[in-house]
Amino acid sequence: MYRGMDVNKIFNLFNGDEPESLREKAQQVDIALDYKNHPLFWVGMFKKLIQNHQVFNDQLLKFFEKLDEGLSTVDIDKAGEYVVFNRAWEYIQKVNPDNLVAQEALFRFADIHLKVALELSINYFQEYEEYEKCSHLKKNLEFIKLLLT
């Protein structure tokens, strides 16, 4: 299921203890890198980014209001959406619902929030006619719908 991933080692990264040897430090870096190359991480990051995109847009608006550059709030909002949806795409594009490990990751995160995140992403990319992305997102959405029924 989680080949090569030891959850206990991952959580030991956060206990505050410094490893004694350089070899142990290198092993901790390898563990962290392995975690970022796993479907669990990709699905989780996708979901989190899409769920929090309005918070990001609000922070972006506040930032540009302070600069007083006279930028349009609509343009800032569109730029924020572009950043969020394209960054989220970088994660979810790696998730193939035909892969068993990816299926397990989708199963773990399957809820109405992930379903909505996928639907929002499809709507976003449809607006810009990026249908290849929509197709991939749709495959993941169909798998989530199966899990939720």
Side-chain angles (χ1 to χ4, degrees), residues 3-4 21 29 37 47 54 60 110 114 144-145:
R3 286 175 258 143
S21 71
V29 169
N37 290 317
K47 182 179 172 182
Q54 192 57 49
L60 203 58
L114 180 56
I144 293 298
K145 284 180 178 178

Side-chain angles (χ1 to χ4, degrees), residues 19-31:
E20 293 181 19
S21 71
L22 186 58
R23 174 179 231 154
E24 288 174 347
K25 285 182 184 181
Q27 286 174 339
Q28 284 187 347
V29 169
D30 287 344
I31 292 166

Side-chain angles (χ1 to χ4, degrees), residues 49-109:
L49 283 167
I50 300 300
Q51 278 184 311
N52 293 322
H53 89 274
Q54 192 57 49
V55 172
F56 176 75
N57 282 359
D58 292 344
Q59 290 173 342
L60 203 58
L61 284 170
K62 285 180 187 176
F63 173 76
F64 281 107
E65 281 176 1
K66 290 178 185 176
L67 291 179
D68 195 31
E69 295 290 321
L71 296 171
S72 164
T73 57
V74 173
D75 290 340
I76 295 170
D77 205 35
K78 281 187 176 187
E81 280 189 346
Y82 176 85
V83 169
V84 169
F85 281 99
N86 282 285
R87 185 64 183 131
W89 168 253
E90 292 299 318
Y91 291 111
I92 200 69
Q93 75 174 348
K94 301 173 188 176
V95 178
N96 179 359
D98 297 329
N99 177 287
L100 290 176
V101 178
Q103 287 177 359
E104 175 65 23
L106 290 166
F107 174 76
R108 294 227 178 216
F109 283 99

